[in-house]
Amino acid sequence: MKQSFVILVKKYSFYFGGDQPAVAWAERLRSVFGAFIGLALVLTVAKYLGELSGLDEWLMASLGASALLVFALPQSPMAQPWAVVAGNTLSALVGITVLHLVSEPLLAMPLAASLAIMGMFILRCLHPPAAAVALIVVLGHVTHYRYAFFPVMVDSILLVLAGGIYSNLTGKAYPNRPK
């Protein structure tokens, strides 16, 4: 009976994070502290730039998800500068364009996200949080192309810069160099 229970636990632990690699506490804390510092810096600079330019939109809502990749998984191809900056910016542009062409939100949302994914495949800049950017644009009824450049592109660039500085100061190479 006990052996059967152990087998069941091993078999189904996958569904409860059993496939996740073990991460040392020092690395967890390094990632969390980096994400905090990086996001605080990016949001402070973006807010200041927004006030300077008189724009209300200075925050890209999916920035937290991008920060997870940049600070916790800096080795991932999806966390590299091109993926973060180009993926987010492209997805915003796609979402805004779809919103101009399709008025029905139930069609515009999946169309924007799926076309953004296709664009990221074509430009080789897959970044999962970027698909959310396309949805955010449609949900927020963002119709100005300027949004793709500020805050989306500017926030993405600032996040990558903060990630690069922090990672390299704490012993992690970022961005990854092709081998």
Side-chain angles (χ1 to χ4, degrees):
M1 178 74 172
K2 183 179 175 187
Q3 190 175 27
S4 300
F5 179 73
V6 171
I7 292 170
L8 275 175
V9 168
K10 285 183 180 182
K11 181 177 180 180
Y12 292 104
S13 69
F14 167 83
Y15 296 106
F16 300 101
D19 62 333
Q20 296 291 308
V23 177
W25 273 100
E27 179 59 21
R28 292 177 190 186
L29 294 173
R30 187 200 72 75
S31 298
V32 169
F33 186 68
F36 175 79
I37 295 295
L39 284 169
L41 287 171
V42 169
L43 295 175
T44 300
V45 170
K47 183 162 178 28
Y48 175 72
L49 291 174
E51 288 171 357
L52 269 182
S53 60
L55 298 174
D56 290 333
E57 303 103 358
W58 52 270
L59 168 65
M60 179 178 70
S62 62
L63 201 59
S66 292
L68 180 135
L69 288 169
V70 169
F71 290 96
L73 299 168
Q75 322 79 330
S76 170
M78 296 177 188
Q80 299 312 302
W82 174 249
V84 176
V85 177
N88 283 330
T89 305
L90 170 72
S91 294
L93 290 168
V94 168
I96 294 165
T97 301
V98 167
L99 191 57
H100 282 289
L101 299 173
V102 180
S103 60
E104 173 54 48
L106 289 177
L107 181 57
M109 285 188 291
L111 191 59
S114 60
L115 289 176
I117 293 167
M118 176 57 79
M120 287 187 280
F121 268 121
I122 292 168
L123 294 180
R124 300 176 55 99
C125 59
L126 285 172
H127 183 64
V133 172
L135 290 174
I136 290 164
V137 164
V138 174
L139 284 169
H141 304 287
V142 177
T143 58
H144 299 287
Y145 283 98
R146 151 195 73 66
Y147 180 82
F149 302 102
F150 182 75
V152 175
M153 187 175 74
V154 170
D155 285 359
S156 299
I157 291 169
L158 291 171
L159 185 71
V160 164
L161 289 173
I165 293 166
Y166 181 79
S167 289
N168 287 291
L169 285 175
T170 59
K172 288 279 186 185
Y174 180 81
N176 282 349
R177 308 288 191 268
K179 294 178 182 179

